[in-house]
Amino acid sequence: MDTQLKLLGRSDAPTALEPIKHLKASVDPSTLHHRQLLDGAFWQKIPAYRLIDEATFLDHSWQAKNTITNPQKLLSAVQHLVPQSFYDDVAEGFRRAPMSIRVSPYLLSLIDWSDAYNDPLRRQFVPVASRLLPDHPKLTLDSLHEQADAPVPGLTHRYPDKALFLALDTCPVYCRFCTRSYAVGVDTDEVEKVSLKATEDRWDRAFRYISERPELEDIVVSGGDSYQLKARQITLIGTRLLELPNVRRIRFATKGPAVMPMKLLTDHEWVDALTGVVERGRKLHKEVVLHTHFNHPNEITAITKRALDAVFERGIITRNQSVLQRGVNDSIATMQLLTKRLGHCQVQPYYVYVHDLVKGVEDLRTTLQTALDIEKAVRGITAGFHTPTFVVDAPGGGGKRVAHSFEHYDRTTGISVYAAPSVKPGFFLYFDPIDTLDPEVAERWRSPAEQGRMIHAAIEAAGAAQAASARASSVR
Ligand code: SF4
């Protein structure tokens, strides 16, 4: 005790008024860009919304009613901001796209139409024919084999304890790059969709299957998009799932907050329904959360912050899943800013997906190496629980694999090989976009025989790497 008292009374101990010696240089607040959110009537720069006041723009029904669903509507909204040649390019882009068009006025207002070809939001939602690239020869429409792993229509049971419940097939936006372009949206010239309508008969079969599988604990409610479910449907699905003793966790997945955040401010019935399910879950000691999908920091405005603050005040946890996309977020600075901006809005960045092999969007895919390089730079800028894990959703149904956990990655042929021992036996292959490879290698991909040789060599190398690692490992 004497020693402690002596220590407390040390003459060299700092007093409260003494200046604090900083070990790091102080940060200029103006450089904290993640806190600087677009505010004001930014939508009024779009000719069609010049006279739209804030109350109207924040009304989710007005947003839904004025959503752009074809190139002609796009033309009448944006008018002189882009030349006729751009519209012609868009019209042809849509004719060749596997997804139909659906862009909210909010999203449309965030696009810089003076640089439409390069704008990161335009690239995600509005196809232009002149920038399309041929699909990879190994691409299939349902590349993740969601239908093959579905015991009942719209319920994919791949991981031991988790199922993906596709409650409906519509969304508040249609993304060019949708992995589920086999089902989501209306038929296009390119794709006749699998129907996953929001019918209670179909849902009943899904609930029955979940109830018959005691190992299922975690249900993702997606689609389509949970934003499109009516308030009573949110309550019905949430209640039916929470009633099942085996279900411990529910995630409602929606891109809505990224494309129409005002719904969280003005659709009180929907937010109340979600809050009701979350609170009911909490009383049952079950977790119910919101999973959303922001890809670029420009998608987060002052409206988004207010909307997400409102959700946070209701005690609802929100996590984010992004897709890594060329020309959208494939730079260290953009992904760091997105990560920090999500954190600023109390959204936990959960995953960044290396872009799936999806029809008609080869121009958006990056190499695996890009993901590895960006992840290295993102890790360390903020707390670990606010740092996304970069994953490859292994084509063929291997599920999500941490991007750098490949068994083998041949950067020359662009083939990476993954194993998923707890999900499915065998190897799962991911392919870098061909236009990023050396021209001689790109030429080899034109020949089916050469494709076979490159794939065979990659699998052999993966097998050898796995055998060497097993010999060295002490884990059994
Ligand atoms: S919101 Fe999701 S499900 Fe809908 S089109 Fe976009 S990626 Fe697909």
Side-chain angles (χ1 to χ4, degrees):
M1 179 63 108
D2 279 357
T3 321
Q4 276 180 14
L5 285 173
K6 269 185 215 147
L7 279 174
L8 286 172
R10 262 185 357 199
S11 59
D12 59 346
T15 67
L17 295 176
E18 262 180 66
I20 295 167
K21 193 171 158 224
H22 289 240
L23 299 177
K24 290 176 186 285
S26 177
V27 172
D28 174 356
S30 71
T31 64
L32 299 173
H33 300 296
H34 62 282
R35 298 181 192 166
Q36 295 154 15
L37 304 178
L38 180 64
D39 204 354
F42 56 84
W43 57 88
Q44 290 179 351
K45 68 182 188 304
I46 302 293
Y49 314 143
R50 205 161 36 86
L51 301 176
I52 299 300
D53 61 20
E54 186 175 10
T56 307
F57 195 74
L58 291 187
D59 178 356
H60 69 281
S61 319
W62 182 86
Q63 289 282 333
K65 211 176 301 155
N66 288 278
T67 285
I68 304 297
T69 50
N70 59 49
Q72 290 70 36
K73 285 190 180 171
L74 181 70
L75 173 62
S76 55
V78 183
Q79 298 173 21
H80 61 272
L81 296 185
V82 287
Q84 181 61 41
S85 56
F86 180 81
Y87 289 117
D88 297 341
D89 214 356
V90 169
E92 179 57 15
F94 273 106
R95 208 189 52 73
R96 288 160 55 183
M99 290 297 290
S100 37
I101 180 171
R102 194 161 205 173
V103 178
S104 63
Y106 170 79
L107 198 52
L108 192 89
S109 307
L110 295 179
I111 293 174
D112 176 4
W113 292 99
S114 68
D115 190 18
Y117 275 106
N118 295 315
D119 184 273
L121 275 62
R122 194 289 301 160
R123 286 178 67 84
Q124 294 179 68
F125 304 104
V126 182
V128 288
S130 62
R131 302 293 162 102
L132 298 179
L133 294 172
D135 289 335
H136 194 282
K138 290 296 161 194
L139 176 147
T140 54
L141 188 56
D142 176 12
S143 71
L144 303 183
H145 287 200
E146 288 185 342
Q147 292 173 91
D149 285 338
V152 298
L155 188 88
T156 298
H157 184 185
R158 170 169 305 145
Y159 302 94
D161 73 345
K162 180 188 129 184
L164 169 68
F165 173 36
L166 303 177
L168 72 174
D169 54 13
T170 59
C171 305
V173 66
Y174 289 135
C175 313
R176 287 183 57 209
F177 51 91
C178 183
T179 299
R180 238 159 261 145
S181 57
Y182 68 86
V184 169
V186 294
D187 292 349
T188 66
D189 288 357
E190 288 291 310
V191 179
E192 195 178 325
K193 312 275 171 162
V194 171
S195 168
L196 293 175
K197 297 270 169 289
T199 63
E200 290 183 25
D201 277 357
R202 185 172 69 79
W203 295 355
D204 272 343
R205 283 170 59 77
F207 299 141
R208 223 173 69 216
Y209 177 83
I210 296 167
S211 73
E212 289 170 7
R213 303 298 301 223
E215 74 275 30
L216 276 179
E217 298 178 348
D218 187 345
I219 309 296
V220 180
V221 181
S222 187
D225 194 297
S226 299
Y227 238 41
Q228 299 300 99
L229 291 169
K230 295 183 176 56
R232 65 170 175 77
Q233 293 175 318
I234 293 275
T235 305
L236 185 151
I237 292 172
T239 309
R240 291 288 301 271
L241 291 175
L242 286 174
E243 274 167 1
L244 301 177
N246 52 316
V247 173
R248 308 293 308 158
R249 292 172 294 281
I250 303 173
R251 316 176 217 175
F252 282 95
T254 171
K255 193 166 171 67
V259 300
M260 206 187 283
M262 49 282 293
K263 183 179 169 87
L264 301 174
L265 293 168
T266 55
D267 190 348
H268 304 296
E269 214 190 333
W270 192 90
V271 178
D272 286 349
L274 181 66
T275 308
V277 177
V278 170
E279 286 175 350
R280 193 177 179 137
R282 195 174 297 127
K283 288 204 178 84
L284 294 166
H285 308 144
K286 300 185 178 195
E287 183 189 73
V288 182
V289 299
L290 197 63
H291 270 212
T292 189
H293 177 181
F294 289 92
N295 285 336
H296 193 277
N298 289 1
E299 291 160 7
I300 304 174
T301 65
I303 300 173
T304 324
K305 175 86 168 71
R306 281 168 54 200
L308 292 168
D309 283 350
V311 167
F312 192 68
E313 278 175 30
R314 300 283 192 117
I316 301 173
I317 300 293
T318 307
R319 303 192 191 111
N320 187 67
Q321 306 188 173
S322 299
V323 181
L324 182 64
Q325 294 177 323
R326 212 190 309 187
V328 175
N329 55 14
D330 63 336
S331 77
I332 289 169
T334 305
M335 199 53 89
Q336 286 182 336
L337 182 57
L338 176 63
T339 302
K340 289 283 292 174
R341 197 164 274 180
L342 288 166
H344 181 58
C345 297
Q346 296 300 0
V347 176
Q348 299 170 1
Y350 173 36
Y351 278 146
V352 173
Y353 289 85
V354 175
H355 203 304
D356 292 336
L357 286 140
V358 173
K359 199 170 160 54
V361 289
E362 200 64 356
D363 58 309
L364 285 178
R365 288 205 306 123
T366 70
T367 62
L368 172 62
Q369 188 61 48
T370 305
L372 302 177
D373 293 342
I374 296 177
E375 172 159 42
K376 198 177 281 183
V378 170
R379 190 155 293 278
I381 61 163
T382 189
F385 68 93
H386 265 214
T387 303
T389 303
F390 284 55
V391 293
V392 171
D393 210 341
K400 294 165 208 53
R401 310 309 299 169
V402 173
H404 51 72
S405 70
F406 49 79
E407 308 295 318
H408 174 72
Y409 179 23
D410 184 334
R411 288 154 175 87
T412 306
T413 59
I415 303 174
S416 43
V417 185
Y418 289 86
S422 303
V423 184
K424 269 186 193 174
F427 285 129
F428 302 89
L429 275 58
Y430 183 78
F431 303 96
D432 288 346
I434 289 178
D435 70 297
T436 63
L437 306 176
D438 281 346
E440 332 63 279
V441 183
E443 190 55 35
R444 289 182 72 192
W445 278 103
R446 293 166 71 89
S447 148
E450 280 297 304
Q451 290 169 18
R453 275 192 270 280
M454 288 187 283
I455 288 171
H456 180 73
I459 290 175
E460 289 268 289
Q466 226 178 30
S469 157
R471 281 195 298 276
S473 174
S474 57
V475 178
R476 291 287 173 265

